[in-house]
Amino acid sequence: MDNIVDSLNKAYEKFVIASAEVLESKESAGGIKASLTDAALENFKEKWELFRVACDQAEEFVESVKQRIGSECLVDEATGLTTGGGSNSGQSVGAATSLPPISAVRLEQMSRAVRWLVLELQRGSGGAAAGLVHSSSSAGFDPRFSEDSTQ
């Protein structure tokens, strides 16, 4: 994470310096188009693109961390490992909501299946994915998971 922050910071600093160079070159040229101004603008464009790339990388990292934290919380809640706060500090969330815990392996399988279906829908092959979901829900099981096919 430190590398991403450092990269973003360096890209930002270079971007700000490049923008200052553009302003200085325009001022020194008296508003007339000059090769120095053109070079400063090209440098500015390059630093802008590098800054955007650094921002995109930082955003991807944040999203991946959010997904990981969300998945861990979901697994903890589903398996009953999370403890509630306040007066119920010794009671698990599963017991507090009266939902039976499920296995972490099964939860991960379901999570992957959902991600796969979302990707399929985003790619435009939603017809096949939607048909699979509909047939799975009407049959009561998903043949991709051994736990479902043994029921």
Side-chain angles (χ1 to χ4, degrees), residues 1-15 45-63:
M1 183 170 85
D2 289 340
N3 291 339
I4 292 172
V5 171
D6 290 342
S7 163
L8 185 61
N9 188 41
K10 287 177 187 175
Y12 176 74
E13 288 174 359
K14 289 178 182 180
F15 171 66
K45 288 178 187 176
E46 178 184 323
K47 300 308 180 199
W48 166 247
E49 285 300 316
L50 292 174
F51 179 62
R52 284 181 51 196
V53 167
C55 287
D56 289 344
Q57 289 173 340
E59 185 177 9
E60 287 174 12
F61 177 75
V62 168
E63 286 302 315

Side-chain angles (χ1 to χ4, degrees), residues 20-34:
E21 289 172 353
V22 169
L23 295 173
E24 289 171 1
S25 67
K26 276 186 126 180
E27 187 177 318
S28 68
I32 301 171
K33 184 174 178 168

Side-chain angles (χ1 to χ4, degrees), residues 40-110:
L41 281 172
E42 283 302 314
N43 185 44
F44 172 79
K45 288 178 187 176
E46 178 184 323
K47 300 308 180 199
W48 166 247
E49 285 300 316
L50 292 174
F51 179 62
R52 284 181 51 196
V53 167
C55 287
D56 289 344
Q57 289 173 340
E59 185 177 9
E60 287 174 12
F61 177 75
V62 168
E63 286 302 315
S64 71
V65 169
K66 281 174 36 179
Q67 283 183 343
R68 190 173 354 155
I69 290 170
S71 294
E72 289 173 3
C73 289
L74 187 61
V75 168
D76 288 348
E77 287 181 20
T79 57
L81 295 178
T82 304
T83 58
S87 62
N88 294 338
S89 61
Q91 195 175 25
S92 72
V93 170
T97 61
S98 72
L99 293 175
I102 63 172
S103 76
V105 172
R106 176 69 176 126
L107 183 64
E108 183 62 29
Q109 289 172 337
M110 292 187 311

